[in-house]
Amino acid sequence: MTPDEALNRLIEGNKRYIDDAPALGEVSRKRRLEIAKGQNPFATLVGCSDSRVGPEQLFGVGLGDLFIVRTAGNNVDSLGMGSIEFAVSQLKTPLIVVLGHEKCGAVDTAIKAVHNDIQLPGSMGKLIEPIIPSVLSAQRKHGCECAHDKLLEESVRENVRRMVNRLRTASEPILMEPQASGALKIVGAYYDLESGLVDFFDKN
C-alpha cells in the first residue's frame, strides 16, 4: 500500500464512521488467527490517550490495521519515537498520522499552566511541558485575548504541527530515507468529538 492509498483508506473509513455505516475492518476470529502469525499494519498513528478518541473506531479499521502510540497530548518521548521507528523500519508502515482532538485535556491543562503559572503534581508536569510552546505559538498567532475554546483548538492544531514537523525533520535515517524515497508520508489531523470528522489539515 502506498502512503496515499493508506491515507485514503483512513479518510473513507472516517466517512463511514460519520455516516454510521458498517465498518469494513475485520475483527473476526479468522482475522485474529491470521494476524497471530504476524502483523502488517498499514499506518502508524500517534494519538492522544483520551477515552473519547478510539482510532480503530473513528477510522473503521480492524485488528492489525493500525500501529498506535498514545499519550495524553499526543507527544512522544524517546521511547515513543523508538516505537514509531520500529513501525516504519520493521513493519514498513507507509503512513504516520499525528492526531489531535477537540477539547484535549492535556492541552487545556497546558493553557492553564501558562496563564496561571500552576505547578502540576507527580509526572504531569513532564507530560505538559512539551505542549507549552504550542500554546505560546497559538497565542502569538491569534492573540492572548481570544476566546478560550478558540485558543484551545488552535493550540491543539499547533501541537500536532510541532509533532509532525519533529517527525518530518528527524535526524534518524530510519525516518528520513523513506520520506525522501516517497515510501513514507507524515500527516497531521484534528478530530472533532461531536461531528466525528477527522480533518487532515497538514498533508504537506
Side-chain angles (χ1 to χ4, degrees), residues 62-146:
L63 293 171
D65 287 332
L66 297 179
F67 188 91
I68 302 174
V69 181
R70 297 180 74 174
T71 60
N74 50 265
N75 277 286
V76 296
D77 57 12
S78 59
L79 296 178
M81 285 293 288
S83 295
I84 295 167
E85 291 169 0
F86 174 83
V88 172
S89 65
Q90 303 301 310
L91 304 178
K92 307 301 181 185
T93 58
L95 179 69
I96 299 174
V97 178
V98 180
L99 179 66
H101 67 93
E102 180 188 15
K103 300 177 182 175
C104 179
V107 177
D108 191 39
T109 300
I111 292 173
K112 292 173 181 175
V114 168
H115 288 176
N116 303 319
D117 193 26
I118 61 174
Q119 297 294 318
L120 298 169
S123 297
M124 287 174 52
K126 293 180 180 178
L127 177 71
I128 298 304
E129 185 177 345
I131 303 174
I132 289 177
S134 299
V135 174
L136 297 175
S137 178
Q139 284 188 166
R140 285 194 298 271
K141 290 179 180 179
H142 302 280
C144 296
E145 303 305 320
C146 70

Side-chain angles (χ1 to χ4, degrees), residues 10 21 33 38 40 55-56 73 95 102 132 139 151 158 163 169 190:
L10 293 180
L33 294 175
N40 186 33
E56 289 94 347
L95 179 69
E102 180 188 15
I132 289 177
Q139 284 188 166
L151 178 59
E158 192 66 25
M163 188 68 219
T169 59
Y190 178 89

